[in-house]
Structure formats: structure tokens, C-alpha cells
């Protein structure tokens, strides 16, 4: 408790973002991937509020350390440009991976943000850009087998003929694709098929544009960048791994086999709160909605100001524990919108206010995102991105 300064929120939980671990994870991916080529680039994915870690706090740490920033929404790209101009930092290369509307494309082009041509609708953009006197830097998304955005190789000549027609306002700088199941398997036969489709798509695209090659090809997210070296191309798009989390246990297993040594990914996030109240409930008392828990003896409980509104899943009811003073304190009864009640009978010596760790380490114990995600029947990706945007993110150095 003493180590928690008064600037931390009192009646709400907060997230601690460890800057040194973020930097160390970037280095881990750089050292794995630069084996491919010296001009190789490492990009990081800041979508989903930086996987719940907070877009601006994460940006403040990674900006300048990576070669490209990937986001899904045009709004996030504008947040990054605003951050740069406020802080006086040189603009980083940004690529909006998601869909872009015509008005947004004009604004993004004016801010020097790269965009993805991944669906129909871009063919009417030529005159709009010309009118505005702008050139859009675009990357073509090739659907190699995910069935989400992108063009199948066979559709490229017709669907993308406009890129040659309007070559004065479209600067096609690269091509990309995205894997469907690299995280789910330890044998990558489907991914290898996707690589072939991508190569073919790039050839068709070059022929359609009448160019010899594309300067930037990128395909691999965290998992493929580790376990599928031929997928690294010119740049990797690191999402989950940046935050120190493994895409799956299969990926970790494969990485052990493929790489000379396993990269030390360090989880960046801790989630903590102070107690709202610590008190005794007499034997026979019920706890929480539905009266699903009944104390069979006098029980010292801590009421914690965290609930499913904050992203603490209701599926953790009567299942999870938090850490108090390095000891496990079980969640009693149901997770509520803004509260949980935990048993601290053994965890504390008295009824003074306490610090609880929902994710992270406390003394000899630690609670991983994976453990909580497993209890909540989901994956680490979903758990972190559902952490409430309203929670305060505090950047720390360890
Ligand atoms: C989310 C995403 C990534 C990053 O995936 P991770 O598995 O989190 O590394 C990369 N590329 C695209 C297109 C994405 O949507």
C-alpha cells in the first residue's frame, strides 16, 4: 500500500503500463526478425486502444522506437498525428489497416498517413484526390485466404485497373495480407498456401500497375513473424506480442522449435485497485447478487471498486482470485457492474485499506492475462481489449 502514491485513483481500478517491458518486447521482435535482411522494419499495431493498454500512453513509449504504426481507424491515425505535433516529434509512418471513407481519405492523405485499398469504392476517389491536390499513399490488401478484406488475385486486374488510370493521385507503395490460422496450429500448411496466393497476387498487381516490384510487402503478425520466417518480407506487424503476450500456446511451442532461443516476451500490463471497504461478514451472510455465496464462517471481505463495466468478466464470478499482500483472495459470489467482493480473511492481519492486484504480480504470486482469459472462456486478445477505456493508464518504469 505504501508504494502506491496518492496520484493513483482512489475509488476506481487502474492499469499500470510498464514502459521498460514494452521497449524490451520491441527489441525481442527486432532481434528475431533482423536475421532476415538489414533493411527490415518492425511495425507495431496499436488498434483496439493499443490492445487495451491505452493508445496515447503506449504511443508515448513506442513512438520513435518502431518503423511503422498500424491502426484500424482513421481517428486513431489522427490521434497519433496530434500527439506528434503536441510533443514536437517527427511524424512516424502510419498505416490505417481498416476501412477508410472518401472524406477521411482526403484528410489522411493531407496528413501523410498511408491507407489500405482493401475493398471496392476506391475507384471513385481519383477525382476527389485530384480536386484536393493530394496524392494518397496506398497499400493493396490481397485476400490470400482469410476471407475478410482484400482482393483475390483473379479479381485484381479488373478491380484495381483504376490505380494505373489514376496513377497521378495514387502512389501504390506496398501490398499486404493477413493469416487465418497461424496461431491455431503447429504445422503451417494453410499459411504456406496463403503465402503462395500472396506471391501470385503481388505478381498480378505489378502487372496491373505496370511496375517491376512493390517496395513494401508485409504479411506477418506476431505469430507468423516468430514461427514462419518466409512470411516476414519487408516489415512485420506486431500486435499482441508488443504487449508481452503470446498469441497462443501453439505459437510458443512452434517458436521453441523454429527459433534458436525463445524470445522473452514480458507482459506489460498490471491491473490494480485499492479496497473500497474491508470488513467482517458474520457466518451465514450472503455475498452479492443472487445470493450465490454464503459465508460458512465469519469472513473478512474486501469490497473492490472493479466490475464488469471495467472489463472484469462476469464469468469470473466465484471462480477467480485477486492478490492481496502476495496471497490469493478468492472472488466471492457474482462479479457486479462496479464491484467484486473478495475473501481476505487470511490475506490481511487487520481491516485497514488494502491494495489488490487483479492482473500482475504481488510478492510470490502472479496472475496472468491468460489465466483470467481462460477462466472467462476467452482469449488474451479479447480480455485486454475489453479493459474499459475509462480506466486510468499509468506508465511506470521498472
Ligand atoms: C490485428 C492485426 C495484426 C496484429 O495481430 P497480432 O496477432 O496481435 O500480432 C496484424 N495485421 C492485421 C491486418 C491485423 O488486423
Amino acid at each position: 500500500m505504501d508504494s502506491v502514491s496518492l496520484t493513483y485513483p482512489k475509488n476506481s481500478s487502474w492499469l499500470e503500463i510498464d514502459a521498460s517491458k514494452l521497449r524490451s518486447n520491441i527489441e525481442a521482435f527486432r532481434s528475431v526478425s533482423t536475421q532476415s535482411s538489414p533493411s527490415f522494419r518492425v511495425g507495431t499495431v496499436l488498434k483496439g486502444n493499443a490492445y487495451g493498454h491505452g493508445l496515447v500512453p503506449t504511443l508515448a513509449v513506442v513512438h520513435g522506437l518502431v518503423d511503422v504504426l498500424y491502426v484500424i481507424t482513421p481517428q486513431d491515425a489522427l490521434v497519433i498525428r496530434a500527439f506528434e505535433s503536441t510533443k514536437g516529434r517527427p511524424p512516424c509512418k502510419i498505416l490505417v489497416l481498416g476501412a477508410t471513407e472518401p472524406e477521411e481519405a482526403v484528410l489522411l492523405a493531407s496528413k501523410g498517413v498511408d491507407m489500405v485499398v482493401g475493398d471496392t469504392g476506391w475507384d471513385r476517389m481519383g477525382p476527389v484526390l485530384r480536386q484536393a491536390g493530394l496524392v494518397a499513399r496506398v497499400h493493396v490488401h490481397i485476400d490470400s485466404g482469410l476471407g475478410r478484406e482484400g482482393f483475390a488475385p483473379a479479381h485484381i486486374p479488373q478491380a484495381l485497373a483504376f490505380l494505373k488510370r489514376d496513377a497521378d493521385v495514387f502512389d501504390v507503395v506496398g501490398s499486404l495480407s493477413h493469416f487465418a490460422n497461424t496461431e491455431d496450429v503447429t504445422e503451417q500448411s494453410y499459411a504456406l498456401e496463403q503465402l503462395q496466393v500472396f506471391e501470385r497476387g503481388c505478381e498480378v498487381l505489378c502487372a496491373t500497375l505496370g511496375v517491376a516490384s512493390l517496395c513494401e510487402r508485409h504479411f506477418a503478425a506476431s505469430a507468423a513473424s516468430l514461427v514462419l520466417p518466409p512470411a516476414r518480407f519487408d516489415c512485420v506487424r506486431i500486435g499482441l506480442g508488443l504487449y508481452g503476450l503470446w498469441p497462443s500456446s501453439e505459437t510458443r511451442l512452434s517458436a521453441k522449435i523454429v527459433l534458436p532461443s525463445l524470445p522473452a516476451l514480458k507482459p506489460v500490463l498490471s491491473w490494480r485497485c485499492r479496497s473500497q471497504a474491508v470488513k467482517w461478514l458474520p457466518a451465514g451472510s450472503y455475498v452479492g447478487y443472487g445470493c450465490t455465496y454464503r459465508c460458512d464462517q465469519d469472513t473478512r471481505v474486501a469490497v473492490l471498486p472493479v466490475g464488469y463495466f471495467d472489463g472484469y468478466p462476469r464469468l469470473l464470478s466465484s471462480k477467480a482470485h485477486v492478490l492481496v499482500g502476495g496471497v490469493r483472495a478468492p472472488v466471492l459470489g457474482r462479479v457486479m457492474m462496479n464491484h467484486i467482493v473478495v475473501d481476505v480473511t487470511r490475506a490481511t492481519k487487520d481491516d485497514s485499506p488494502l491494495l489488490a492486484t487483479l492482473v500482475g504480480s504481488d510478492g510470490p504470486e502472479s496472475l496472468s492475462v491468460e489465466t483470467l482469459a481462460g477462466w472467462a472462456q476467452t482469449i488474451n486478445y479479447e480480455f485486454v481489449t475489453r479493459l474499459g477505456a475509462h480506466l486510468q493508464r499509468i506508465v511506470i518504469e521498472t
Side-chain angles (χ1 to χ4, degrees):
M1 197 66 195
D2 296 333
S3 62
V4 179
S5 94
L6 289 171
T7 59
Y8 284 63
K10 227 173 173 169
N11 287 308
S12 166
S13 61
W14 66 85
L15 301 169
E16 290 168 16
I17 309 303
D18 190 322
S20 32
K21 289 180 177 157
L22 268 174
R23 289 192 292 265
S24 152
N25 295 332
I26 292 171
E27 272 321 301
F29 278 96
R30 218 178 261 292
S31 63
V32 165
S33 312
T34 40
Q35 294 147 8
S36 310
S37 96
S39 64
F40 183 82
R41 281 165 285 182
V42 173
T44 53
V45 184
L46 302 180
K47 67 187 181 191
N49 198 19
Y51 288 58
H53 291 58
L55 176 57
V56 172
T58 304
L59 184 61
V61 179
V62 308
H63 194 276
L65 300 180
V66 298
D67 305 300
V68 192
L69 299 171
Y70 297 101
V71 294
I72 288 285
T73 66
Q75 289 74 16
D76 281 356
L78 298 178
V79 168
I80 297 174
R81 285 289 180 253
F83 167 88
E84 291 166 340
S85 67
T86 318
K87 302 281 177 194
R89 302 232 190 152
C92 183
K93 185 178 163 74
I94 305 175
L95 175 59
V96 174
L97 294 169
T100 307
E101 293 300 314
E103 327 64 86
E104 296 170 324
V106 169
L107 183 57
L108 292 178
S110 77
K111 300 271 182 190
V113 173
D114 292 14
M115 292 164 264
V116 168
V117 173
D119 260 305
T120 50
W122 280 86
D123 50 338
R124 46 193 170 83
M125 280 303 299
V128 182
L129 288 162
R130 213 168 281 124
Q131 174 88 29
L134 292 165
V135 173
R137 286 168 52 92
V138 298
H139 302 232
V140 171
H141 198 131
I142 295 166
D143 181 5
S144 58
L146 176 61
R148 204 172 71 181
E149 64 270 82
F151 299 88
H155 295 151
I156 288 176
Q158 227 200 333
L160 298 180
F162 75 94
L163 288 174
K164 187 167 166 64
R165 184 190 70 207
D166 296 333
D168 58 319
V169 288
F170 285 111
D171 183 9
V172 182
V173 293
S175 58
L176 72 150
S177 193
H178 195 37
F179 285 110
N181 75 337
T182 42
E183 298 81 2
D184 298 294
V185 291
T186 47
E187 56 74 39
Q188 298 291 346
S189 53
Y190 190 72
L192 293 171
E193 279 176 41
Q194 283 194 264
L195 276 175
Q196 284 181 0
V197 177
F198 181 60
E199 299 273 13
R200 196 160 69 245
C202 289
E203 279 167 27
V204 178
L205 180 60
C206 286
T208 305
L209 297 171
V211 299
S213 66
L214 292 161
C215 62
E216 193 176 328
R217 296 194 296 168
H218 45 109
F219 200 155
S222 301
S225 77
L226 296 173
V227 305
L228 201 63
R232 289 178 195 149
F233 294 100
D234 302 309
C235 188
V236 288
R237 305 188 302 262
I238 306 304
L240 196 76
L242 169 68
Y243 309 96
L245 305 176
W246 282 87
S248 67
S249 45
E250 287 83 355
T251 303
R252 202 188 170 112
L253 204 64
S254 303
K256 241 183 181 150
I257 297 164
V258 172
L259 300 171
S261 66
L262 202 60
L265 299 185
K266 300 177 181 168
V268 164
L269 179 123
S270 304
W271 190 8
R272 303 187 208 276
C273 68
R274 301 171 201 268
S275 56
Q276 180 178 319
V278 179
K279 59 187 175 186
W280 284 94
L281 292 178
S285 305
Y286 293 103
V287 179
Y289 295 132
C291 301
T292 59
Y293 185 82
R294 191 175 199 189
C295 302
D296 56 10
Q297 55 196 6
D298 291 358
T299 305
R300 178 159 49 212
V301 298
V303 180
L304 303 180
V306 59
Y308 55 79
F309 170 59
D310 305 299
Y312 200 80
R314 196 165 170 274
L315 282 167
L316 297 183
S317 298
S318 296
K319 209 179 222 177
H321 56 261
V322 306
L323 304 176
V324 173
V327 173
R328 297 178 182 201
V331 173
L332 303 180
R334 289 197 187 147
V335 172
M336 295 167 269
M337 190 184 297
N338 303 101
H339 297 95
I340 56 174
V341 179
V342 299
D343 182 349
V344 292
T345 311
R346 287 174 303 109
T348 55
K349 290 185 298 295
D350 56 38
D351 298 352
S352 34
L354 53 83
L355 175 70
T357 298
L358 310 160
V359 169
S361 336
D362 180 5
E365 287 276 0
S366 70
L367 261 172
S368 68
V369 165
E370 284 71 23
T371 301
L372 287 154
W375 285 335
Q377 295 166 35
T378 184
I379 53 173
N380 47 13
Y381 287 85
E382 186 183 4
F383 187 91
V384 290
T385 50
R386 281 181 174 276
L387 291 167
H390 59 282
L391 297 177
Q392 198 174 326
R393 273 84 176 161
I394 297 169
V395 177
I396 59 166
E397 295 278 352
T398 51

